[in-house]
């Protein structure tokens, strides 16, 4: 088997776990403060509102479109290119007493009056506020359910200390990703929520590989300490981790740079989540299990007493 990283020596990852905990703790505190102060920039999927897509014959002037909307009572509208420089996506908060089609017709008339070229209405979508609240609640429950199911699965497959470490790493990844979106003011919509769930799946896959090697090494090396065994397990899986993360990041970079505005938030969440998930598999999941006192005895299979083993041998 070809390995990207080959080393005959064990890398002492756990020696630096205290520094990693301090950094992670500071980032978690900063994320929670940002979420409390700035909160999340909820998209229309959660808050409710109208999405309008229009097409121009030539490159659209986004600044002029924003000024036109602000001057005609549509302040706070989000205006951005959608795929090409000729396509424009306009996001509006819910307008009281007006239907989505009426709002779309008014917007189209305003934009058409400001230019001599033809402006074409591509689509109009409306999301009610009640639906938005329901999506917010269901999204939070989806993340919580995923964490609980993973906790139960890892507990049965490995050991409860490793399970708590894995769930702690997942919570770490989710909080930091939410903190990033809160701090930068990036829009949080359903695509970002889907990316968060994908981050959980990616991170737990990496963590399960590390946990499996930890269990194998505990059974293989009887005279090693817990710290040495975990260092060896992480070192053994490092080549696989780097290759998997690198190939995933290359795809996500392509989506981030070339995918357009529609999946920009999705690509951002996944790109950050993959990087932070790789880090947390090493310095959060493994080191937390070590701090909880995981040992060789905890991961050894139970001894099965054979029938008649307690009987005295025949003379």
């Amino acid at each position: 088997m070809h390995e990207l990283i080959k080393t005959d020596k064990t890398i002492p990852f756990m020696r630096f776990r205290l520094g990693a905990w301090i950094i992670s703790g500071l980032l978690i505190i900063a994320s929670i403060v940002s979420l409390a102060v700035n909160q999340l920039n909820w998209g229309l999927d959660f808050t409710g509102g109208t999405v309008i897509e229009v097409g121009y014959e030539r490159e659209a002037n986004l600044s002029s479109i924003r000024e036109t909307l602000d001057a005609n009572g549509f302040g706070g509208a989000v205006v951005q290119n959608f795929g090409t420089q000729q396509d424009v996506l306009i996001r509006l908060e819910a307008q009281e007493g007006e239907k989505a089609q009426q709002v779309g017709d008014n917007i189209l008339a305003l934009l058409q009056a400001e230019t001599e070229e033809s402006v074409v209405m591509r689509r109009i979508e409306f999301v009610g506020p009640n639906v938005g609240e329901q999506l917010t609640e269901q999204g939070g429950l989806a993340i919580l359910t995923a964490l609980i199911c993973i906790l139960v699965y890892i507990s049965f497959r490995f050991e409860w200390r490793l399970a708590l470490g894995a769930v702690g790493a997942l919570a770490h990844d989710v909080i930091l990703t939410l903190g990033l979106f809160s701090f930068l003011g990036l829009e949080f919509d359903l695509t970002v929520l889907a990316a968060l769930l994908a981050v959980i799946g990616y991170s737990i896959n990496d963590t399960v590989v590390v946990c499996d090697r930890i269990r194998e090494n505990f059974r293989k090396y009887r005279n090693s300490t817990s710290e040495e065994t975990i260092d060896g397990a992480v070192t053994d899986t490092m080549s696989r981790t780097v290759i998997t993360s690198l190939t995933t990041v290359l795809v996500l970079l392509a989506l981030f740079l070339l995918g357009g505005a529609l999946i920009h938030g999705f690509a951002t969440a996944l790109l950050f989540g993959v990087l932070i998930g790789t880090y947390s598999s090493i310095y959060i999941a493994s080191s937390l299990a070590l701090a909880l006192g995981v040992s060789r005895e905890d991961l050894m299979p139970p001894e099965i007493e054979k029938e008649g083993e307690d009987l005295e041998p025949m003379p």
Side-chain angles (χ1 to χ4, degrees):
M1 180 182 293
H2 298 284
E3 293 184 355
L4 183 64
I5 299 176
K6 292 184 179 181
T7 177
D8 296 330
K9 296 183 179 180
T10 299
I11 303 174
F13 289 101
M14 295 299 102
R15 182 184 300 175
F16 309 103
R17 65 183 183 276
L18 180 59
W21 283 2
I22 293 175
I23 294 174
S24 294
L26 292 175
L27 290 176
I28 289 176
I29 292 173
S31 298
I32 293 175
V33 170
S34 180
L35 288 169
V37 176
N38 301 326
Q39 300 184 352
L40 287 171
N41 180 21
W42 298 104
L44 295 183
D45 296 328
F46 297 101
T47 62
T50 306
V51 178
I52 302 171
E53 183 185 347
V54 296
Y56 284 75
E57 295 179 356
R58 293 188 292 271
E59 181 177 343
N61 188 333
L62 299 184
S63 299
S64 176
I65 294 175
R66 292 190 186 97
E67 292 175 359
T68 300
L69 295 177
D70 290 340
N72 289 274
F74 294 100
V78 177
V79 181
Q80 60 191 73
N81 286 118
F82 185 75
T84 68
Q85 298 296 320
Q86 292 79 33
D87 296 323
V88 178
L89 192 70
I90 303 173
R91 298 174 181 265
L92 300 167
E93 295 181 357
Q95 307 291 315
E96 296 184 3
E98 296 187 16
K99 297 182 179 180
Q101 187 62 48
Q102 181 181 356
V103 172
D105 293 340
N106 294 338
I107 295 292
L108 183 62
L110 291 173
L111 299 180
Q112 188 66 72
E114 294 294 325
T115 181
E116 297 179 355
E117 61 182 282
S118 175
V119 182
V120 180
M121 179 69 69
R122 298 286 173 81
R123 67 183 173 103
I124 302 176
E125 295 180 0
F126 175 76
V127 178
N130 292 332
V131 176
E133 292 179 3
Q134 184 178 4
L135 289 175
T136 304
E137 180 182 352
Q138 291 179 345
L141 289 176
I143 294 177
L144 183 60
T145 302
L147 294 177
I148 293 175
C149 290
I150 289 169
L151 175 64
V152 174
Y153 168 73
I154 300 295
S155 297
F156 276 106
R157 177 166 180 180
F158 298 105
E159 205 266 342
W160 68 267
R161 294 173 181 84
L162 291 175
L164 288 179
V167 172
L170 295 181
H172 167 275
D173 299 343
V174 171
I175 292 173
L176 291 191
T177 305
L178 292 175
L180 176 71
F181 273 74
S182 175
F183 181 76
L184 298 180
L186 301 176
E187 183 177 347
F188 190 93
D189 54 19
L190 282 179
T191 62
V192 178
L193 177 61
L196 271 180
L197 294 173
V199 166
I200 291 176
Y202 179 91
S203 182
I204 195 59
N205 177 66
D206 201 19
T207 302
V208 165
V209 172
V210 175
C211 290
D212 192 55
R213 185 55 61 92
I214 289 174
R215 179 175 60 180
E216 180 181 335
N217 283 5
F218 265 122
R219 297 175 179 178
K220 185 177 180 180
Y221 304 110
R222 299 185 177 184
N223 298 324
S224 299
T225 65
S226 296
E227 182 174 337
E228 292 171 345
T229 302
I230 292 177
D231 282 337
V234 176
T235 302
D236 292 342
T237 58
M238 183 53 57
S239 181
R240 176 263 175 201
T241 299
V242 171
I243 292 174
T244 304
S245 299
L246 182 60
T247 53
T248 306
V249 166
L250 290 176
V251 174
L252 293 175
L253 280 175
L255 290 176
F256 180 82
L257 298 174
L258 305 175
L262 183 63
I263 60 173
H264 187 266
F266 176 83
T268 301
L270 267 181
L271 189 60
F272 179 78
V274 166
L275 295 176
I276 204 69
T278 302
Y279 158 82
S280 67
S281 296
I282 300 172
Y283 282 112
I284 303 299
S286 302
S287 61
L288 185 55
L290 179 62
L292 292 172
V294 66
S295 63
R296 180 176 179 272
E297 290 72 18
D298 299 322
L299 298 174
M300 292 297 292
E303 295 184 2
I304 300 176
E305 184 177 347
K306 297 181 180 180
E307 185 177 355
E309 187 177 9
D310 55 342
L311 298 178
E312 295 183 2
M314 297 291 293

